[in-house]
Coordinates of all heavy atoms in Angstrom, one line a residue:
M17 N 0.8 -1.1 0.0 CA 0.0 0.0 0.0 C 0.9 1.3 0.0 O 1.9 1.3 0.7 CB -0.9 0.0 1.2 CG -1.8 1.1 1.4 SD -1.5 2.4 2.7 CE -0.6 1.6 4.0
R18 N 0.6 2.2 -0.8 CA 1.2 3.4 -0.9 C 0.4 4.6 -0.5 O -0.8 4.6 -0.9 CB 1.8 3.7 -2.3 CG 2.8 2.8 -2.7 CD 3.4 3.2 -4.1 NE 4.3 2.2 -4.5 CZ 4.8 2.2 -5.7 NH1 4.5 3.1 -6.6 NH2 5.6 1.3 -6.1
I19 N 1.1 5.4 0.4 CA 0.3 6.7 0.7 C 1.0 7.7 -0.1 O 2.2 8.0 0.0 CB 0.6 6.9 2.2 CG1 -0.1 5.9 3.1 CG2 0.1 8.4 2.6 CD1 0.1 5.9 4.5
R20 N 0.2 8.3 -1.0 CA 0.8 9.3 -2.0 C 0.5 10.8 -1.6 O 1.2 11.6 -2.1 CB 0.3 9.0 -3.3 CG 0.6 7.6 -3.8 CD 0.0 7.3 -5.2 NE 0.3 6.0 -5.7 CZ -0.4 4.9 -5.5 NH1 -1.6 5.0 -4.9 NH2 0.0 3.7 -5.9
T21 N -0.5 11.0 -0.8 CA -0.7 12.4 -0.5 C -1.1 12.5 1.0 O -1.3 11.6 1.7 CB -2.0 12.9 -1.3 OG1 -3.1 12.2 -0.8 CG2 -1.9 12.7 -2.8
P22 N -1.1 13.8 1.5 CA -1.5 14.0 2.9 C -3.0 13.6 3.2 O -3.3 13.1 4.3 CB -1.3 15.5 3.0 CG -0.4 15.9 2.1 CD -0.6 14.9 0.9
I23 N -3.7 13.6 2.2 CA -5.1 13.2 2.3 C -5.1 11.7 2.5 O -5.9 11.2 3.4 CB -6.0 13.7 1.1 CG1 -6.2 15.1 1.1 CG2 -7.4 12.9 1.1 CD1 -6.8 15.7 -0.1
D24 N -4.3 10.9 1.8 CA -4.2 9.5 2.0 C -3.9 9.2 3.4 O -4.5 8.3 4.1 CB -3.2 8.9 1.0 CG -3.6 8.9 -0.5 OD1 -4.8 9.3 -0.8 OD2 -2.8 8.7 -1.3
L25 N -2.9 9.9 3.9 CA -2.3 9.6 5.3 C -3.4 10.0 6.3 O -3.7 9.2 7.2 CB -1.0 10.4 5.5 CG -0.5 10.1 6.9 CD1 -0.2 8.7 7.2 CD2 0.8 11.0 7.1
G26 N -4.1 11.0 6.0 CA -5.2 11.4 7.0 C -6.2 10.4 7.0 O -6.8 10.1 8.0
A27 N -6.6 9.8 5.8 CA -7.6 8.7 5.8 C -7.2 7.5 6.7 O -7.9 6.9 7.3 CB -7.9 8.3 4.4
V28 N -5.9 7.2 6.5 CA -5.4 6.0 7.2 C -5.5 6.3 8.8 O -5.9 5.5 9.5 CB -3.9 5.7 6.8 CG1 -3.3 4.7 7.8 CG2 -3.8 5.2 5.4
I29 N -5.0 7.5 9.1 CA -5.0 7.9 10.5 C -6.5 7.9 11.2 O -6.8 7.3 12.1 CB -4.4 9.3 10.8 CG1 -2.9 9.1 10.6 CG2 -4.7 9.9 12.1 CD1 -2.2 10.4 10.4
R30 N -7.4 8.4 10.4 CA -8.8 8.4 10.8 C -9.4 7.0 10.9 O -10.0 6.6 11.8 CB -9.6 9.2 9.8 CG -11.2 9.3 10.2 CD -12.0 10.1 9.3 NE -11.4 11.2 8.6 CZ -10.9 11.2 7.3 NH1 -11.1 10.2 6.5 NH2 -10.4 12.3 6.8
D31 N -9.1 6.2 9.9 CA -9.6 4.8 9.9 C -9.0 4.1 11.1 O -9.8 3.4 11.8 CB -9.2 4.2 8.6 CG -9.7 2.7 8.5 OD1 -10.9 2.6 8.4 OD2 -8.8 1.8 8.6
R32 N -7.8 4.1 11.4 CA -7.2 3.3 12.5 C -7.7 3.9 13.8 O -8.0 3.2 14.7 CB -5.6 3.5 12.5 CG -4.9 2.7 13.6 CD -5.2 1.2 13.5 NE -4.7 0.5 12.3 CZ -3.5 0.1 12.1 NH1 -2.6 0.0 13.1 NH2 -3.2 -0.4 11.0
R33 N -7.8 5.2 14.0 CA -8.4 5.8 15.2 C -9.8 5.2 15.5 O -10.1 4.9 16.6 CB -8.4 7.3 15.1 CG -9.0 8.0 16.3 CD -9.2 9.5 16.2 NE -9.9 9.9 15.1 CZ -11.2 10.0 15.0 NH1 -11.9 9.5 16.0 NH2 -11.9 10.5 13.9
M34 N -10.6 5.3 14.4 CA -12.0 4.8 14.7 C -12.0 3.3 14.9 O -12.9 2.8 15.8 CB -12.7 5.1 13.3 CG -12.9 6.7 13.3 SD -13.9 7.2 11.8 CE -15.4 6.8 12.2
K35 N -11.1 2.5 14.2 CA -11.1 1.1 14.5 C -10.7 0.8 16.0 O -11.1 -0.2 16.6 CB -10.2 0.3 13.6 CG -10.8 0.2 12.2 CD -9.9 -0.6 11.2 CE -10.6 -0.8 9.8 NZ -9.7 -1.3 8.8
L36 N -9.8 1.6 16.5 CA -9.4 1.5 17.9 C -10.3 2.0 18.9 O -10.2 1.9 20.1 CB -8.1 2.2 18.1 CG -6.9 1.5 17.3 CD1 -5.6 2.4 17.6 CD2 -6.6 0.1 17.8
G37 N -11.5 2.7 18.4 CA -12.5 3.3 19.2 C -12.1 4.5 20.0 O -12.6 4.9 21.0
L38 N -11.2 5.2 19.5 CA -10.7 6.4 20.0 C -11.4 7.7 19.4 O -11.6 7.7 18.3 CB -9.1 6.6 19.8 CG -8.2 5.6 20.4 CD1 -6.8 5.9 19.8 CD2 -8.2 5.6 21.9
D39 N -11.7 8.7 20.3 CA -12.1 9.9 19.8 C -11.0 10.8 19.5 O -9.9 10.6 19.9 CB -13.3 10.5 20.6 CG -12.7 10.8 22.0 OD1 -11.5 11.0 22.2 OD2 -13.6 11.0 22.9
Q40 N -11.2 11.9 18.7 CA -10.2 12.8 18.4 C -9.5 13.5 19.6 O -8.3 13.6 19.7 CB -10.6 13.9 17.5 CG -11.0 13.3 16.1 CD -11.8 14.3 15.3 OE1 -12.4 15.2 15.7 NE2 -11.5 14.2 13.9
K41 N -10.3 13.8 20.6 CA -9.7 14.3 21.8 C -8.8 13.3 22.6 O -7.6 13.8 23.1 CB -10.8 14.8 22.8 CG -10.3 15.6 24.0 CD -11.5 16.0 24.9 CE -10.8 16.8 26.0 NZ -11.9 17.3 27.0
T42 N -9.2 12.1 22.6 CA -8.3 11.1 23.4 C -7.0 10.9 22.6 O -6.0 10.9 23.2 CB -9.1 9.8 23.5 OG1 -10.2 10.0 24.2 CG2 -8.2 8.7 24.2
L43 N -7.0 10.9 21.3 CA -5.9 10.6 20.5 C -5.0 11.9 20.6 O -3.8 11.8 20.8 CB -6.2 10.4 19.0 CG -5.0 10.3 18.1 CD1 -4.0 9.2 18.5 CD2 -5.4 10.1 16.6
A44 N -5.6 13.1 20.6 CA -4.9 14.3 20.8 C -4.1 14.3 22.1 O -2.9 14.8 22.1 CB -5.8 15.6 20.6
T45 N -4.7 14.0 23.1 CA -4.1 13.9 24.5 C -2.9 13.0 24.4 O -1.8 13.2 25.0 CB -5.1 13.5 25.6 OG1 -6.2 14.4 25.5 CG2 -4.4 13.4 26.9
Q46 N -3.0 11.8 23.8 CA -2.0 10.8 23.7 C -0.8 11.3 23.0 O 0.4 11.0 23.2 CB -2.5 9.5 23.0 CG -3.4 8.7 24.0 CD -3.9 7.4 23.2 OE1 -3.5 7.2 22.1 NE2 -4.7 6.6 23.9
V47 N -1.1 12.1 21.9 CA 0.0 12.6 21.0 C 0.6 13.8 21.6 O 1.8 14.2 21.3 CB -0.5 12.9 19.6 CG1 0.5 13.4 18.7 CG2 -1.0 11.4 18.9
G48 N -0.2 14.6 22.4 CA 0.3 15.9 23.0 C 0.0 17.1 22.0 O 0.8 18.0 22.0
V49 N -1.1 17.0 21.3 CA -1.6 18.1 20.4 C -3.0 18.4 20.7 O -3.6 17.8 21.5 CB -1.4 17.6 18.9 CG1 0.1 17.4 18.5 CG2 -2.3 16.4 18.6
S50 N -3.4 19.4 20.0 CA -4.9 19.8 20.2 C -5.9 18.9 19.3 O -5.4 18.3 18.4 CB -5.1 21.3 19.7 OG -5.0 21.4 18.3
R51 N -7.1 18.8 19.8 CA -8.0 18.1 19.0 C -8.0 18.7 17.6 O -8.3 17.9 16.6 CB -9.4 18.1 19.7 CG -10.5 17.4 18.9 CD -11.8 17.6 19.5 NE -13.0 17.6 18.7 CZ -13.2 18.4 17.5 NH1 -12.3 19.1 17.1 NH2 -14.2 18.3 17.0
Q52 N -8.0 20.0 17.4 CA -8.1 20.6 16.1 C -7.0 20.1 15.2 O -7.1 20.0 14.0 CB -8.1 22.1 16.2 CG -8.2 22.8 14.9 CD -9.6 22.5 14.3 OE1 -10.7 22.5 14.8 NE2 -9.5 22.1 12.9
W53 N -5.8 19.9 15.8 CA -4.6 19.4 15.0 C -5.0 18.0 14.4 O -4.8 17.8 13.3 CB -3.3 19.3 15.9 CG -2.2 19.0 15.1 CD1 -1.4 20.0 14.3 CD2 -1.7 17.8 14.7 NE1 -0.4 19.3 13.8 CE2 -0.5 18.1 13.9 CE3 -2.0 16.5 15.1 CZ2 0.2 16.9 13.4 CZ3 -1.2 15.5 14.6 CH2 -0.1 15.7 13.8
I54 N -5.6 17.2 15.2 CA -6.0 15.8 14.8 C -7.0 15.9 13.7 O -6.9 15.4 12.5 CB -6.6 15.0 15.9 CG1 -5.5 14.8 17.0 CG2 -7.2 13.7 15.3 CD1 -4.3 13.9 16.5
V55 N -7.9 16.9 13.8 CA -9.0 17.2 12.8 C -8.3 17.5 11.5 O -8.6 17.0 10.4 CB -10.0 18.3 13.2 CG1 -10.8 18.7 12.0 CG2 -10.9 17.8 14.4
D56 N -7.4 18.5 11.6 CA -6.7 19.0 10.3 C -5.9 17.8 9.7 O -5.8 17.8 8.4 CB -5.8 20.2 10.7 CG -6.4 21.4 11.1 OD1 -7.7 21.5 10.8 OD2 -5.8 22.3 11.8
V57 N -5.2 17.0 10.5 CA -4.4 16.0 9.9 C -5.2 14.9 9.2 O -4.9 14.5 8.0 CB -3.5 15.3 10.9 CG1 -2.9 14.0 10.5 CG2 -2.3 16.3 11.3
E58 N -6.4 14.6 9.8 CA -7.3 13.6 9.2 C -7.9 14.2 7.9 O -8.2 13.4 7.1 CB -8.4 13.3 10.2 CG -7.8 12.5 11.4 CD -8.9 12.0 12.2 OE1 -10.1 12.4 12.1 OE2 -8.6 11.1 13.1
K59 N -7.9 15.6 7.8 CA -8.4 16.1 6.5 C -7.3 16.2 5.6 O -7.6 16.7 4.4 CB -9.0 17.5 6.8 CG -10.4 17.4 7.6 CD -10.9 18.9 7.7 CE -12.3 18.8 8.4 NZ -12.8 20.2 8.6
G60 N -6.1 15.9 5.9 CA -5.0 15.9 4.9 C -4.2 17.3 4.9 O -3.6 17.6 3.9
K61 N -4.1 17.8 6.2 CA -3.3 19.1 6.2 C -1.9 18.8 5.7 O -1.1 18.0 6.2 CB -3.2 19.5 7.7 CG -2.4 20.8 8.0 CD -2.3 21.2 9.3 CE -1.5 22.4 9.7 NZ -1.6 22.8 11.0
P62 N -1.5 19.6 4.6 CA -0.3 19.3 3.9 C 1.0 19.8 4.7 O 2.1 19.4 4.4 CB -0.4 20.0 2.6 CG -1.3 21.1 2.8 CD -2.3 20.6 3.8
R63 N 1.0 20.7 5.6 CA 2.1 21.2 6.3 C 2.1 20.8 7.8 O 2.8 21.6 8.6 CB 2.1 22.7 6.2 CG 2.2 23.2 4.6 CD 2.5 24.6 4.7 NE 2.5 25.1 3.3 CZ 3.4 25.0 2.3 NH1 4.6 24.5 2.8 NH2 3.3 25.5 1.2
A64 N 1.7 19.7 8.0 CA 1.7 19.2 9.4 C 3.2 18.8 9.7 O 3.8 18.1 8.9 CB 0.8 18.0 9.6
P65 N 3.8 19.1 10.9 CA 5.1 18.8 11.2 C 5.3 17.3 11.3 O 4.5 16.6 11.9 CB 5.3 19.4 12.6 CG 4.3 20.4 12.7 CD 3.0 20.0 11.9
I66 N 6.4 16.8 10.6 CA 6.6 15.4 10.5 C 6.7 14.7 11.8 O 6.3 13.6 12.1 CB 7.8 15.0 9.5 CG1 7.8 13.6 9.2 CG2 9.1 15.5 10.1 CD1 6.7 13.1 8.4
S67 N 7.4 15.4 12.8 CA 7.5 14.8 14.1 C 6.2 14.5 14.8 O 6.1 13.4 15.4 CB 8.4 15.8 15.0 OG 7.8 17.0 15.2
L68 N 5.2 15.4 14.6 CA 3.9 15.2 15.2 C 3.1 14.1 14.4 O 2.4 13.3 15.0 CB 3.1 16.4 15.2 CG 3.7 17.6 16.1 CD1 2.7 18.8 16.0 CD2 3.8 17.1 17.5
V69 N 3.4 14.0 13.1 CA 2.7 12.9 12.4 C 3.2 11.7 12.8 O 2.4 10.7 12.9 CB 2.9 13.2 10.9 CG1 2.4 12.0 10.0 CG2 2.1 14.5 10.4
L70 N 4.6 11.6 12.9 CA 5.2 10.3 13.3 C 4.7 9.9 14.8 O 4.4 8.7 15.0 CB 6.7 10.4 13.3 CG 7.2 10.5 11.8 CD1 8.8 10.8 11.9 CD2 7.0 9.3 11.0
R71 N 4.5 10.8 15.6 CA 4.1 10.5 17.0 C 2.6 10.0 16.9 O 2.2 9.1 17.6 CB 4.1 11.8 17.9 CG 5.5 12.0 18.4 CD 5.6 13.0 19.6 NE 4.6 13.8 20.0 CZ 4.8 15.0 20.4 NH1 6.0 15.6 20.4 NH2 3.7 15.8 20.7
T72 N 1.8 10.6 16.0 CA 0.4 10.2 15.9 C 0.4 8.7 15.3 O -0.4 7.9 15.8 CB -0.2 11.1 14.9 OG1 -0.2 12.4 15.4 CG2 -1.8 10.7 14.7
V73 N 1.1 8.4 14.2 CA 1.1 7.1 13.7 C 1.6 6.0 14.7 O 1.1 5.0 14.8 CB 1.8 7.0 12.3 CG1 1.1 7.8 11.2 CG2 3.2 7.2 12.4
E74 N 2.6 6.4 15.5 CA 3.1 5.6 16.5 C 2.1 5.3 17.7 O 1.8 4.1 18.1 CB 4.4 6.2 17.2 CG 5.0 5.4 18.4 CD 5.6 4.2 18.0 OE1 6.1 4.0 16.8 OE2 5.8 3.3 18.8
A75 N 1.3 6.3 18.0 CA 0.2 6.2 19.1 C -0.9 5.3 18.5 O -1.5 4.6 19.3 CB -0.3 7.6 19.3
L76 N -1.1 5.3 17.2 CA -2.1 4.4 16.7 C -1.6 3.0 16.2 O -2.4 2.1 15.8 CB -2.7 5.1 15.4 CG -3.5 6.4 15.7 CD1 -3.8 7.1 14.4 CD2 -4.7 6.0 16.5
G77 N -0.3 2.7 16.4 CA 0.3 1.5 16.1 C 0.3 1.2 14.5 O 0.3 0.0 14.1
I78 N 0.4 2.3 13.8 CA 0.6 2.2 12.3 C 2.0 2.0 12.0 O 2.9 2.7 12.5 CB 0.0 3.4 11.7 CG1 -1.5 3.7 11.9 CG2 0.3 3.4 10.2 CD1 -2.1 4.9 11.5
H79 N 2.3 1.0 11.1 CA 3.7 0.7 10.8 C 4.0 1.4 9.4 O 3.2 1.1 8.5 CB 3.9 -0.8 10.7 CG 5.2 -1.2 10.2 ND1 6.3 -1.1 10.9 CD2 5.6 -1.7 9.0 CE1 7.4 -1.5 10.2 NE2 6.9 -1.9 9.0
L80 N 4.9 2.2 9.4 CA 5.4 2.8 8.1 C 6.6 2.1 7.6 O 7.6 1.8 8.4 CB 5.7 4.3 8.3 CG 4.5 5.1 8.7 CD1 5.0 6.6 8.9 CD2 3.4 5.0 7.7
A81 N 6.7 1.8 6.3 CA 8.0 1.2 5.8 C 8.4 2.0 4.6 O 7.6 2.4 3.7 CB 7.6 -0.2 5.5
A82 N 9.7 2.0 4.4 CA 10.2 2.6 3.1 C 10.9 1.5 2.3 O 11.8 0.8 2.8 CB 11.2 3.8 3.4
D83 N 10.5 1.3 1.1 CA 11.1 0.3 0.2 C 11.5 0.9 -1.1 O 10.8 1.9 -1.6 CB 10.0 -0.9 -0.1 CG 9.5 -1.6 1.1 OD1 10.4 -1.8 2.0 OD2 8.3 -2.0 1.2
D84 N 12.5 0.3 -1.6 CA 12.9 0.7 -3.1 C 11.8 0.3 -4.0 O 11.3 -0.8 -4.0 CB 14.2 0.1 -3.4 CG 15.3 0.5 -2.6 OD1 15.3 1.6 -2.1 OD2 16.4 -0.2 -2.5
Q85 N 11.5 1.3 -4.8 CA 10.5 1.0 -5.9 C 11.0 -0.1 -6.8 O 12.1 -0.1 -7.2 CB 10.1 2.3 -6.6 CG 8.8 2.8 -6.4 CD 8.4 4.0 -7.3 OE1 9.4 4.7 -7.8 NE2 7.2 4.3 -7.4
G86 N 10.1 -1.0 -7.2 CA 10.5 -1.9 -8.1 C 11.0 -3.3 -7.5 O 11.0 -4.2 -8.2
K87 N 11.4 -3.2 -6.2 CA 11.8 -4.4 -5.6 C 10.7 -4.9 -4.8 O 10.0 -4.2 -4.0 CB 13.0 -4.1 -4.7 CG 14.3 -3.7 -5.4 CD 15.4 -3.5 -4.4 CE 16.6 -3.1 -5.2 NZ 17.8 -2.9 -4.3
T88 N 10.6 -6.2 -4.8 CA 9.5 -6.9 -4.0 C 10.1 -7.6 -2.9 O 11.1 -8.1 -2.9 CB 8.7 -7.9 -4.8 OG1 9.6 -8.9 -5.3 CG2 7.9 -7.3 -6.0
K89 N 9.5 -7.4 -1.7 CA 10.0 -8.0 -0.5 C 8.9 -8.9 0.0 O 7.7 -8.7 -0.2 CB 10.2 -6.9 0.6 CG 11.5 -6.1 0.1 CD 11.9 -5.2 1.3 CE 13.1 -4.4 1.0 NZ 13.5 -3.5 2.1
K90 N 9.3 -10.0 0.7 CA 8.4 -10.8 1.4 C 7.7 -10.2 2.5 O 8.3 -9.5 3.3 CB 9.2 -12.1 1.9 CG 8.3 -13.3 2.2 CD 9.2 -14.5 2.6 CE 8.5 -15.7 2.4 NZ 9.3 -16.8 2.7
Q91 N 6.4 -10.3 2.5 CA 5.6 -9.6 3.5 C 5.8 -10.3 4.9 O 5.5 -11.4 5.0 CB 4.1 -9.7 3.1 CG 3.1 -9.1 4.2 CD 3.2 -7.6 4.2 OE1 3.5 -6.9 3.2 NE2 2.9 -7.0 5.3
T92 N 6.1 -9.7 5.9 CA 6.2 -10.0 7.3 C 5.3 -9.1 8.2 O 5.1 -8.0 7.8 CB 7.6 -10.1 7.7 OG1 8.1 -8.8 7.7 CG2 8.5 -11.0 7.0
G93 N 4.9 -9.7 9.2 CA 4.0 -8.9 10.2 C 2.6 -8.7 9.7 O 2.1 -9.6 8.8
P94 N 1.8 -7.8 10.2 CA 0.5 -7.6 9.8 C 0.3 -7.2 8.4 O 1.1 -6.6 7.8 CB 0.0 -6.5 10.8 CG 1.2 -5.8 11.1 CD 2.3 -6.6 11.1
P95 N -0.9 -7.6 7.9 CA -1.2 -7.4 6.5 C -1.3 -5.8 6.3 O -1.6 -5.1 7.2 CB -2.5 -7.9 6.2 CG -3.1 -8.1 7.5 CD -2.0 -8.3 8.4
P96 N -0.9 -5.3 5.1 CA -1.0 -3.9 4.8 C -2.4 -3.3 4.8 O -3.3 -4.1 4.7 CB -0.3 -3.7 3.4 CG -0.6 -5.1 2.8 CD -0.5 -6.1 3.9
V97 N -2.5 -2.1 5.1 CA -3.8 -1.4 5.1 C -4.1 -1.1 3.7 O -3.4 -0.7 2.8 CB -3.7 -0.1 5.8 CG1 -4.9 0.7 5.8 CG2 -3.4 -0.4 7.3
D98 N -5.4 -1.3 3.3 CA -5.9 -1.1 1.9 C -6.3 0.3 1.8 O -7.4 0.6 2.0 CB -7.0 -2.1 1.6 CG -7.6 -1.9 0.1 OD1 -6.9 -1.1 -0.7 OD2 -8.5 -2.7 -0.2
I99 N -5.4 1.2 1.4 CA -5.7 2.6 1.4 C -6.8 3.0 0.4 O -7.6 3.8 0.6 CB -4.4 3.5 1.1 CG1 -4.7 4.9 1.2 CG2 -3.9 3.1 -0.2 CD1 -5.0 5.5 2.6
D100 N -6.8 2.2 -0.7 CA -7.9 2.4 -1.7 C -9.3 2.3 -1.2 O -10.2 3.1 -1.4 CB -7.6 1.7 -2.9 CG -6.3 2.0 -3.7 OD1 -6.0 3.2 -3.7 OD2 -5.6 1.0 -4.1
S101 N -9.5 1.2 -0.4 CA -10.8 1.0 0.2 C -11.2 2.1 1.2 O -12.3 2.5 1.3 CB -11.0 -0.5 0.7 OG -10.1 -0.6 1.9
I102 N -10.2 2.5 2.0 CA -10.3 3.6 3.0 C -10.8 4.8 2.4 O -11.8 5.5 2.7 CB -9.1 3.7 3.9 CG1 -8.9 2.5 4.7 CG2 -9.3 4.9 4.8 CD1 -7.5 2.4 5.4
I103 N -10.2 5.2 1.3 CA -10.3 6.5 0.7 C -11.7 6.4 -0.1 O -12.5 7.3 0.0 CB -9.3 6.8 -0.4 CG1 -8.0 7.1 0.3 CG2 -9.7 7.9 -1.3 CD1 -6.8 7.2 -0.6
A104 N -12.0 5.2 -0.7 CA -13.4 5.1 -1.3 C -14.5 5.2 -0.3 O -15.5 5.8 -0.5 CB -13.4 3.8 -2.0
S105 N -14.3 4.6 0.9 CA -15.2 4.6 1.9 C -15.5 6.0 2.5 O -16.6 6.5 2.7 CB -14.8 3.7 3.1 OG -15.6 3.9 4.2
A106 N -14.3 6.7 2.6 CA -14.4 8.1 3.1 C -15.1 9.1 2.1 O -15.9 9.9 2.5 CB -13.0 8.8 3.3
R107 N -14.9 8.8 0.8 CA -15.6 9.6 -0.3 C -17.1 9.2 -0.2 O -17.9 10.2 -0.5 CB -15.0 9.3 -1.6 CG -13.6 10.0 -1.8 CD -13.0 9.7 -3.1 NE -11.8 10.4 -3.3 CZ -10.8 10.0 -4.0 NH1 -10.9 8.9 -4.8 NH2 -9.7 10.6 -4.0
E108 N -17.4 8.0 0.0 CA -18.9 7.7 0.0 C -19.6 8.3 1.2 O -20.7 8.8 1.0 CB -19.0 6.1 0.1 CG -18.7 5.3 -1.1 CD -19.6 5.6 -2.2 OE1 -20.9 5.8 -2.0 OE2 -19.2 5.9 -3.4
K109 N -18.9 8.5 2.3 CA -19.5 9.1 3.5 C -19.8 10.5 3.2 O -20.6 11.2 3.8 CB -18.6 8.9 4.7 CG -18.6 7.4 5.2 CD -17.7 7.4 6.3 CE -17.6 5.9 6.8 NZ -16.6 5.7 7.8
R110 N -19.0 11.2 2.3 CA -19.2 12.7 2.1 C -20.3 12.9 1.2 O -20.8 14.1 1.1 CB -17.8 13.2 1.5 CG -16.7 13.3 2.4 CD -15.4 13.9 1.8 NE -14.4 14.0 2.7 CZ -13.2 14.3 2.3 NH1 -12.9 14.7 1.1 NH2 -12.2 14.3 3.3
K111 N -20.7 12.0 0.5 CA -21.8 12.2 -0.6 C -23.2 12.2 0.2 O -23.5 11.9 1.1 CB -21.8 11.0 -1.6 CG -20.7 11.1 -2.5 CD -20.7 10.0 -3.5 CE -19.5 10.1 -4.4 NZ -19.5 9.1 -5.4

C-alpha cells in the first residue's frame, strides 16, 4: 500500500483511530496536540510537522515502511492497510 498524498495519510489515521474506538480528543491527548490538530491531519493538512505525524502514527500502532520502488519483499508482520478502500469509503460518506 502506498500513501501518496497527505489526504491518503489522513484517511489512514482516521480509519485506524476509529477502529481502535478512540475519539479525536483522546488521540490528541496521547500525542500531545490539540483536537483541532488531529482534525486537520485527518483532513490531509499538507504542512503538518513530520515529528507530530510520526508521533500520531506511533500512538495508533501504524507501521510505516520505506522500500525501494520496483523491488518486491516478502511480507512479514500484519497485512498492509488497503488505502484505496479507506479512501473510497471516506468519499462515500461525504456524498
Side-chain angles (χ1 to χ4, degrees):
M17 179 253 332
R18 290 187 185 171
I19 296 173
R20 295 178 182 97
T21 68
I23 292 172
D24 294 349
L25 181 58
V28 169
I29 289 171
R30 182 183 324 104
D31 182 68
R32 182 63 60 95
R33 175 183 60 77
M34 294 175 77
K35 283 182 179 173
L36 293 174
L38 297 173
D39 60 22
Q40 291 170 329
K41 184 177 180 181
T42 302
L43 178 58
T45 301
Q46 289 178 359
V47 176
V49 297
S50 69
R51 181 187 145 308
Q52 185 59 50
W53 189 88
I54 297 294
V55 169
D56 291 343
V57 166
E58 288 184 353
K59 288 182 178 179
K61 181 179 182 178
R63 298 194 186 272
I66 190 69
S67 61
L68 296 179
V69 172
L70 292 173
R71 282 194 346 219
T72 303
V73 298
E74 177 73 20
L76 293 169
I78 297 171
H79 175 76
L80 299 178
D83 295 324
D84 291 336
Q85 250 184 338
K87 293 184 179 180
T88 57
K89 292 187 177 184
K90 196 175 204 177
Q91 177 71 31
T92 60
V97 176
D98 182 2
I99 187 70
D100 294 324
S101 68
I102 293 169
I103 292 170
S105 175
R107 286 182 179 151
E108 285 295 317
K109 291 177 184 176
R110 288 184 183 172
K111 290 183 181 179

